[in-house]
Amino acid sequence: DAGVIQSPRHEVTEMGQEVTLRCKPISGHNSLFWYRQTMMRGLELLIYFNNNVPIDDSGMPEDRFSAKMPNASFSTLKIQPSEPRDSAVYFCASSPLAGDKNTQYFGPGTRLTVL
Amino acid sequence: AQSVTQPDIHITVSEGASLELRCNYSYGATPYLFWYVQSPGQGLQLLLKYFSGDTLVQGIKGFEAEFKRSQSSFNLRKPSVHWSDAAEYFCAVGFYKLSFGAGTTVTVRA
């Protein structure tokens, strides 16, 4: 299996621009998670989906952030407009709902720099 | 409230020496427990996990962890460290949602 795939791996943008991060979960996994990692706050769960439905978005920092999962094999995290404080590494993880006790498998991450 | 504590921010160990990383948690019930490793610029890789049963679990790369219910701990160990074990290690607990510790950075000296 190819594992969780994220794109782009690196993104540099200017403040105010729209940023879209993409994730392809492991085939057959029903849950998908978006995390943000910073030095100051560590790993934070932003949102997670079960069967393409958002279950908990309480970690989404503000309305500038939005996430979608239009089908079982694709999810996006969008930031509009972006701000320098959004600079971080964003991880996507997927997990099977049944079996493997919800073990999460992480992608390589997208390093976002907002200038 | 749920919390995960990794008391050691940074540990330096000599190659070939043993390693133990501590993890304590606070949770309403006994959660699922995980250890992940992150090499620089990489994602998190699952080392091992505990759901139930035998409290000593074996993982990849020669790591093991022991669950102690009375101490709410899930410490990670490796008998003999290799230079390639230099990385950041995260303890995580939960069910659908995981709470992560702040991480322990391991440096391996020759």
Side-chain angles (χ1 to χ4, degrees), chain A residues 28-94:
Chain A
H29 282 192
N30 307 92
S31 295
L32 184 139
F33 305 80
W34 282 102
Y35 290 88
R36 179 171 67 177
Q37 185 180 40
T38 61
M39 290 291 291
M40 291 297 294
R41 301 174 66 90
L43 266 165
E44 303 173 277
L45 176 65
L46 301 177
I47 186 171
Y48 80 94
F49 297 82
N50 281 350
N51 293 320
N52 313 335
V53 176
I55 302 300
D56 185 344
D57 64 356
S58 60
M60 296 286 262
E62 48 197 276
D63 291 346
R64 297 185 297 107
F65 286 69
S66 63
K68 294 182 179 179
M69 192 165 185
N71 57 62
S73 59
F74 184 67
S75 177
T76 59
L77 178 67
K78 185 177 293 186
I79 308 172
Q80 167 63 21
S82 58
E83 297 182 2
R85 60 192 168 123
D86 301 330
S87 298
V89 181
Y90 291 81
F91 289 104
C92 175
S94 70

Side-chain angles (χ1 to χ4, degrees), chain A residues 9 33 35 37 43 45 48 50 56 58 91 97 100-108, chain B residues 32 34 36 38 41-46 49 51 88 90 95-98 100-102:
Chain A
R9 292 294 309 277
F33 305 80
Y35 290 88
Q37 185 180 40
L43 266 165
L45 176 65
Y48 80 94
N50 281 350
D56 185 344
S58 60
F91 289 104
L97 262 181
D100 208 11
K101 301 290 186 185
N102 307 316
T103 301
Q104 295 183 24
Y105 296 88
F106 282 75
Chain B
Y32 301 150
F34 305 85
Y36 287 87
Q38 184 180 27
Q42 303 297 314
L44 278 72
Q45 181 183 21
L46 179 69
K49 56 195 175 187
F51 300 140
E88 190 162 17
F90 293 92
F95 295 100
Y96 285 110
K97 291 175 63 171
L98 294 184
F100 283 82

